[in-house]
């Protein structure tokens, strides 16, 4: 494995083409075996289902070089299962979960020179996705699909270190009750683009979405779940049928209980109680945890005791423990680490 000539410490969280990607086609009711290809382009009819009716879903996960030199992926089986849920909700054919994991492994192996070295702060981001590709003019599911995976090396989500962010309570709704908020559909992210850009234009880093039915309960942001820490050290995360089930959040809650001995709770979180929490963070694949220092509710600020300079103490322990597991510094629970290449 010869590493590419890349200045690992200088890359950002942006797309960089790599050598090979995986593609499989669904036609006549079945998936083909799939193959690796050097072709990074996608060609389809102008009437493709994905272009007309946004029939698409995706996943995101990472591969790492561990402290002992192995290349590993973090819990790809959960990404496979979540994508299967997305496909069923969107009337798309499920790509077999075992084949999903095999395809992730094959793509990372084929591009192992792009896996950043340990200690660089960079990782290999892996993007599986699926879309309807044949012509659909009436409103109905496509009959042909592509499942693809590409990967790209990315730098740390926060250049220059993690600083607590300021978010606002958003007037837009992220997801309707009984809608698609609990799956990773491309259409969910398209509708979040205006609110996030509007937030940026007004000086905020992210949006806090409340539940659409009552606007009294915390849901998530446009691309991350919330974690709160109470003043007595309990880790709390919102529970709702319209929240995307984050793999990072699920892992952090396990780490909190089993590694750090903290009490954990997944329950509806009412916005009225947010002011009483000691720490707040956003969790997801890209940044693991983004600490929140301030929430702006239409001009009224909620400032957390953890402050605007650094992560709160429990949030920091959660971050350090999970990244320690991912990077091989700490022993992982059984099944969490998929070894792709040995040292």
């Amino acid at each position: 494995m010869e590493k590419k000539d890349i200045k690992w410490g200088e890359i950002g969280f942006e797309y960089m083409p790599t050598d090979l990607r995986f593609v499989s086609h669904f036609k006549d009711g079945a998936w083909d075996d799939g193959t690796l290809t050097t072709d990074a382009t996608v060609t389809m009819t102008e009437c493709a289902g994905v272009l007309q009716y946004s029939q698409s879903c995706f996943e995101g996960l990472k591969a790492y070089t561990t402290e002992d030199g192995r290349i590993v992926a973090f819990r790809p089986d959960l990404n496979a299962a979540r994508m299967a849920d997305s496909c069923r909700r969107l009337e798309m054919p499920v790509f077999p979960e075992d084949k999903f994991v095999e395809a992730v492994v094959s793509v990372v192996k084929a591009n192992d020179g792009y896996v950043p070295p340990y200690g660089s702060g960079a990782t290999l981001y892996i993007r599986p996705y699926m879309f309807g590709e044949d012509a659909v003019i009436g409103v109905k599911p496509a009959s042909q699909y592509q499942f693809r995976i590409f990967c790209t090396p990315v730098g740390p989500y926060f250049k220059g270190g993690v600083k607590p962010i300021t978010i606002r309570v958003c007037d837009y709704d992220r997801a309707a009750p009984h809608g698609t908020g609990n799956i990773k559909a491309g259409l969910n992210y398209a509708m979040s683009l205006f609110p996030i850009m509007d937030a940026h234009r007004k000086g905020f880093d992210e949006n806090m979405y409340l539940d659409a039915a009552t606007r009294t309960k915390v849901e998530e942001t446009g691309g991350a779940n919330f974690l709160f820490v109470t003043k007595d050290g309990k880790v709390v995360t919102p529970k709702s049928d319209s929240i995307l089930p984050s793999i990072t959040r699920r892992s952090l809650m396990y780490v909190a209980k089993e590694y750090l001995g903290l009490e954990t709770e997944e329950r509806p979180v009412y916005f009225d109680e947010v002011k009483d929490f000691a720490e707040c963070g956003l969790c997801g694949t890209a940044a693991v945890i983004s600490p929140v220092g301030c929430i702006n509710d239409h001009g009224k600020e909620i400032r957390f005791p953890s402050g605007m300079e650094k992560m709160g103490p429990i949030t920091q322990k959660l971050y350090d423990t999970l990244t320690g597991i991912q990077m091989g510094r700490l022993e992982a629970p059984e099944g969490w680490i998929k070894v792709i290449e040995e040292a």
Side-chain angles (χ1 to χ4, degrees), residues 40-317:
T41 62
V42 176
T43 302
M44 68 184 84
T45 171
E46 62 185 353
C47 197
V50 64
L51 300 179
Q52 303 308 314
Y53 302 119
S54 300
Q55 201 180 13
S56 69
C57 60
F58 69 98
E59 278 296 324
L61 65 157
K62 287 181 176 179
Y64 311 82
T65 301
T66 61
E67 189 173 32
D68 61 5
R70 296 176 299 161
I71 294 177
V72 304
F74 183 69
R75 310 192 79 176
D77 57 317
L78 297 189
N79 293 95
R82 188 169 65 180
M83 190 167 199
D85 289 339
S86 297
C87 289
R88 283 187 280 266
R89 178 63 176 82
L90 295 173
E91 280 295 329
M92 301 170 72
V94 170
F95 193 77
E97 293 180 33
D98 58 336
K99 299 295 184 184
F100 178 107
V101 175
E102 289 174 11
V104 167
V105 170
S106 69
V107 169
V108 176
K109 280 187 174 181
N111 296 285
D112 60 3
Y114 289 95
V115 182
Y118 175 79
S120 65
T123 53
L124 188 74
Y125 188 83
I126 305 161
R127 171 53 59 84
Y129 61 110
M130 188 191 300
F131 55 90
E133 67 171 338
D134 60 322
V136 178
I137 195 65
V139 180
K140 62 180 181 179
S143 61
Q144 297 178 25
Y145 297 83
Q146 282 192 46
F147 170 80
R148 300 176 70 100
I149 303 177
F150 68 81
C151 60
T152 183
V154 295
Y157 198 74
F158 295 105
K159 281 285 190 182
V162 179
K163 288 285 187 180
I165 61 175
T166 298
I167 66 176
R168 69 169 183 180
V169 177
C170 189
D171 290 328
Y172 293 92
D173 293 326
R174 177 189 160 270
H178 314 297
T180 59
N182 64 334
I183 64 169
K184 207 165 176 66
L187 55 90
N188 293 345
Y189 294 81
M191 58 72 59
S192 74
L193 294 178
F194 176 80
I196 188 60
M197 295 307 295
D198 184 61
H200 291 168
R201 285 189 285 266
K202 293 175 179 173
F204 302 105
D205 298 294
E206 250 294 2
N207 290 302
M208 170 183 275
Y209 290 102
L210 304 180
D211 73 294
T214 70
R215 297 196 60 78
T216 61
K217 290 177 282 190
V218 176
E219 294 241 304
E220 60 174 287
T221 70
N225 285 183
F226 278 100
L227 279 179
F228 297 101
V229 181
T230 65
K231 290 177 181 175
D232 60 357
K234 181 191 294 185
V235 181
V236 178
T237 188
K239 182 177 183 179
S240 166
D241 290 339
S242 54
I243 290 176
L244 181 74
S246 164
I247 294 164
T248 304
R249 183 198 66 183
R250 177 173 170 176
S251 303
L252 286 166
M253 294 296 277
Y254 182 92
V255 162
K257 183 178 181 180
E258 302 297 335
Y259 280 67
L260 302 180
L262 300 172
E263 188 177 352
T264 62
E265 189 175 24
E266 183 181 359
R267 61 169 174 80
V269 173
Y270 287 85
F271 181 70
D272 285 348
E273 63 182 301
V274 169
K275 65 183 185 302
D276 299 320
F277 289 121
E279 301 175 36
C280 174
L282 312 180
C283 56
T285 299
V288 183
I289 304 178
S290 309
V292 176
C294 177
I295 297 174
N296 188 297
D297 178 19
H298 301 86
K300 181 181 178 181
E301 290 188 342
I302 298 172
R303 290 186 171 269
F304 294 99
S306 52
M308 293 296 296
E309 293 302 316
K310 59 183 180 180
M311 283 189 183
I314 290 180
T315 303
Q316 187 70 59
K317 287 179 183 178

Side-chain angles (χ1 to χ4, degrees), residues 4-11:
K4 300 292 183 178
D5 184 19
I6 295 172
K7 294 181 179 179
W8 302 106
E10 298 179 10
I11 62 175

